[in-house]
Structures are given as C-alpha cells and as structure tokens.
Amino acid sequence: MNEDQRLIQFEARINAGEKIEPKDWMPEAYRKTLLRQISQHAHSEVIGMQPEANWALRAPTLRAKKILLAKIQDEGGHGLYLYSAAETLGVDRAEMIEQLQQGKAKYSSIFNYPTLNWADMGAIGWLVDGAAIVNQTMLAKCSYGPYARAMLRICKEEGFHQRQGYEIMAKMMAGNDAQKAMAQDAMNCWWWPSLMMFGPHDADSPHTKESMQWKIKVESNDKLRQRFINRTVEQAYHIGLTVPDPKLKYNKETMNWEIGPINWDEFWNVVKGNGPCNHKRMAHHIKYHNKGQWVRDAAIAFAQNETFVTAL
Ligand code: BYC
C-alpha cells in the first residue's frame, strides 16, 4: 500500500469508531499532534501539583489535609499514566521533561496563578477540576487507544476532586461574612482563567479542525467551554456565589448561559510565560527534578543489575 491508500484506510478506521493502537500505521501529523497534546496534558498534571502543595502543610483540619494530600498524589499518578501514553508514540519521558524545562512544551495556563488562601483550594477543585472533567470526558472518546484509556481512569478520580473543591466552597459560603468574602474572592480570581483552560475560540484555534477530523478531539473548545459554564453557573447560584461577569445572561432559546468577552490578551500573555507564577513553577520543577536525579540513577542501576543477574 502507498501512503495515500494507508491514509484512506486509517481515516476509514477512525470514522468507523475504531481505536488506533501504538503499533498501527498513523500519519506523522496525527502522531505529532497527539504527542504535543498528551505531553502538555502530562506536564499540566505534574505542574498542577504545585499550587495545591502550597497548602499541604496549612490545611485547616486533619480531614482536609488527608483529602488534599490524596488529591495531590492522584495528580502525580495522572501525570504517570499520561507520560506512559505519550511514550507509546516514540518519545521517552526524559525527553518530554527536557522539552518542558527548555520552554519548548507547554502546560495549562491555569497553573500560573497563585493560591493565596484556603478558598483557592476550593476554587481549584471545583472550577479547575470541574473544567478538566468536561474536557477529559470528551478525550475519553479520543481515537488513540492509550490516551482514551488513561482518560477513563483519570475522570473517575477527577469526580472526587471536583466534589472536594465544591465542598470547601459550600462550607465557606455557609460560614461567617469573612469566609463568604474569601470564597467569593477565589471565585472572582479563578472564574475567567478556568474558562481559558478550554483554549482559544474555535475560529482562532489552529489545531481544532484537523484534531476533530481525526477524533483526537471529538468536541470543540467552545462547545466544551459552554457545557462547563452551564453547569457551573447553576452550582455557584446554589451556594450563593456570584459569577464575576456583569454580562452573564440566560438565553432561553439555546438554553445556554452567555458570557461577556474573555480577555485573550491575558491568556496569551500567560501562555507565553508572563503569568504571575510561570517562573516560580518552572524553577521549582527544575530544582526538584535535579534533586531526584539520584533516584533515577539508582532505579536504572538496579534494573541493569537485575538484567545482569538474570543473564548469569
Ligand atoms: N494553556 O488550537 P488549540 C488538571 C495552546 S490538569 C496553555 O485550541 P488544541 C489538574 C495550544 O497548546 C488537566 N496552552 O490547541 C491538575 C496551542 O499551542 P501550540 C489539563 C494552551 O491542542 C492538577 C494553541 O494554544 N488539561 O486538571 O487543539 C491539579 C492553540 O490552541 C491552552 C489538559 O491538558 C491552555 N489552557 O486544544 C488540578 C487537556 N489552550 O501547541 C487539576 C488536554 C490552548 O500550537 N489538552 N493552548 O503551540 C486539550 O484538550 C487541548 O490541548 C486544549 C487545546 C483544549 C487545551
């Protein structure tokens, strides 16, 4: 078969709803897009541990601390599933991490904002994990088998994360005026950056068309963002939080909550490395990655020794 015939067969498999597996033939552009997206996703999970770890030693109760520690550990696990899924496309984890540290690979814009008080933990769980679930439930239907399967496991855990965050917000909104003000402040800080997590509007998204054709994404950035808005506005109202958007209005015909304009200058500024915490996040990652070098060396030495002993 020549390249054109292979492409026709590949697209027919995708249109028939089949999963593409690592050893199957795939166009180079499909492999590259997946590698870019899955590695970015893996980096996001790992960098996303940092804003939450900031509160691991300051959680207000033992219960809250145990839940937070479990959540942070889950995020590390998600990173591992995702690096493993990305490795099936022919690049190893060390190389992906090098790309991240050299600024050649991205991670989600959302993790460049600071977590200054406990309500920020609530907002991350409720809004950030809430947005991630909407995006990842869609990605569980992705045409690439290893990515889709990783998403199934991740989404189950994200459900708990989202409820953990909503519980923190609901508790604060049932508290005194100062606690209510903290929760509202966190809502004000995290609402717009959470909407930006879904990426640029469809018309400005260079990858959406091809990614949807190959079912890497099965729904567009705007469609997912709208689903998240509709869910979250109701949840905010239920516990007495105000959505920080004076233009927010319900459209009875489309049954959608319509929002005011998103500040895309802020988004691109953060993506380009100029958000409030970009430098801090990367410096922390590099420092602790280097500190862990002895663990990786020891693991490799152990594996080599095992091979040596088995060979004897
Ligand atoms: N941040 O054509 P587009 C979590 C970039 S972690 C930064 O729409 P695509 C959690 C995009 O890469 C879960 N960059 O791209 C963890 C592209 O740039 P390049 C995180 C963004 O890929 C710990 C350009 O903009 N979730 O839940 O078709 C604690 C044009 O965009 C962003 C994921 O990673 C962004 N937000 O669609 C708590 C989801 N958005 O590469 C919670 C996986 C866009 O051409 N990723 N860009 O230079 C995806 O689903 C897709 O990649 C996106 C973007 C929807 C994000």
Side-chain angles (χ1 to χ4, degrees):
M1 265 199 276
N2 64 29
E3 287 283 295
D4 289 346
Q5 288 166 326
R6 286 181 150 182
L7 182 61
I8 290 169
Q9 193 184 55
F10 170 83
E11 291 191 336
R13 288 185 63 198
I14 289 192
N15 291 334
E18 278 183 45
K19 294 285 180 222
I20 305 299
E21 297 298 336
K23 289 187 178 154
D24 295 344
W25 183 89
M26 61 186 80
E28 186 53 19
Y30 178 83
R31 192 186 72 83
K32 275 197 171 152
T33 296
L34 274 171
L35 197 51
R36 174 185 62 79
Q37 183 171 319
I38 304 174
S39 66
Q40 174 176 316
H41 197 159
H43 300 323
S44 303
E45 299 282 356
V46 171
I47 298 287
M49 295 163 80
Q50 288 187 36
E52 298 196 305
N54 191 33
W55 281 87
L57 296 177
R58 288 182 274 162
T61 64
L62 186 56
R63 176 179 180 271
K65 180 173 173 144
K66 276 164 60 181
I67 296 171
L68 183 62
L69 284 175
K71 179 182 189 303
I72 297 170
Q73 210 168 359
D74 284 352
E75 309 299 359
H78 298 174
L80 281 180
Y81 304 154
L82 287 160
Y83 282 125
S84 302
E87 281 186 321
T88 65
L89 293 157
V91 174
D92 79 18
R93 181 148 48 116
E95 196 177 327
M96 288 183 255
I97 290 174
E98 201 175 300
Q99 286 170 355
L100 169 72
Q101 294 186 345
Q102 290 174 352
K104 292 181 191 154
K106 295 184 166 69
Y107 59 91
S108 181
S109 50
I110 193 76
F111 301 117
N112 293 306
Y113 292 86
T115 45
L116 303 176
N117 67 48
W118 181 247
D120 292 325
M121 291 297 94
I124 290 195
W126 173 41
L127 299 175
V128 177
D129 286 88
I133 293 174
V134 172
N135 170 268
Q136 291 171 168
T137 309
M138 172 278 286
L139 292 174
K141 296 179 203 137
C142 161
S143 58
Y144 190 57
Y147 194 24
R149 289 190 287 274
M151 285 300 109
L152 283 180
R153 297 178 69 168
I154 291 175
C155 283
K156 291 202 170 111
E157 291 175 350
E158 301 287 26
F160 278 99
H161 298 174
Q162 195 266 355
R163 272 171 271 166
Q164 167 260 3
Y166 194 57
E167 185 190 76
I168 293 175
M169 296 303 260
K171 261 193 187 161
M172 288 187 118
M173 289 306 290
N176 61 30
D177 285 349
Q179 288 165 324
K180 285 182 189 166
M182 271 170 76
Q184 183 61 54
D185 186 49
M187 170 87 189
N188 298 348
C189 290
W190 293 90
W191 171 252
W192 292 104
S194 300
L195 302 187
M196 294 172 195
M197 280 177 75
F198 294 91
H201 286 309
D202 296 349
D204 303 318
S205 157
H207 300 297
T208 291
K209 190 166 173 268
E210 190 176 71
S211 287
M212 288 190 70
Q213 184 188 335
W214 284 338
K215 296 191 182 161
I216 291 173
K217 305 200 304 199
V218 297
E219 287 176 289
S220 76
N221 299 358
D222 282 329
K223 190 159 183 208
L224 295 171
R225 184 170 16 246
Q226 188 61 58
R227 183 171 302 147
F228 171 73
I229 293 167
N230 290 349
R231 272 186 199 175
T232 312
V233 166
E234 307 279 338
Q235 291 165 0
Y237 177 77
H238 190 67
I239 56 175
L241 282 164
T242 304
V243 176
D245 179 356
K247 294 219 162 90
L248 185 76
K249 66 170 193 300
Y250 189 67
N251 182 328
K252 278 188 188 158
E253 273 171 35
T254 61
M255 295 199 293
N256 284 326
W257 283 96
E258 292 172 356
I259 57 164
I262 293 175
N263 182 348
W264 292 111
D265 288 343
E266 176 184 326
F267 170 75
W268 289 115
N269 198 37
V270 173
V271 171
K272 285 182 189 144
N274 305 317
C277 299
N278 295 59
H279 294 292
K280 193 174 168 191
R281 300 286 182 245
M282 282 323 303
H284 186 90
H285 189 275
I286 292 169
K287 179 176 171 189
Y288 287 96
H289 186 69
N290 290 343
K291 276 196 170 189
Q293 185 59 47
W294 71 271
V295 179
R296 294 189 291 282
D297 290 343
I300 290 168
F302 178 77
Q304 281 168 347
N305 190 44
E306 284 283 286
T307 318
F308 178 66
V309 170
T310 315
L312 282 180

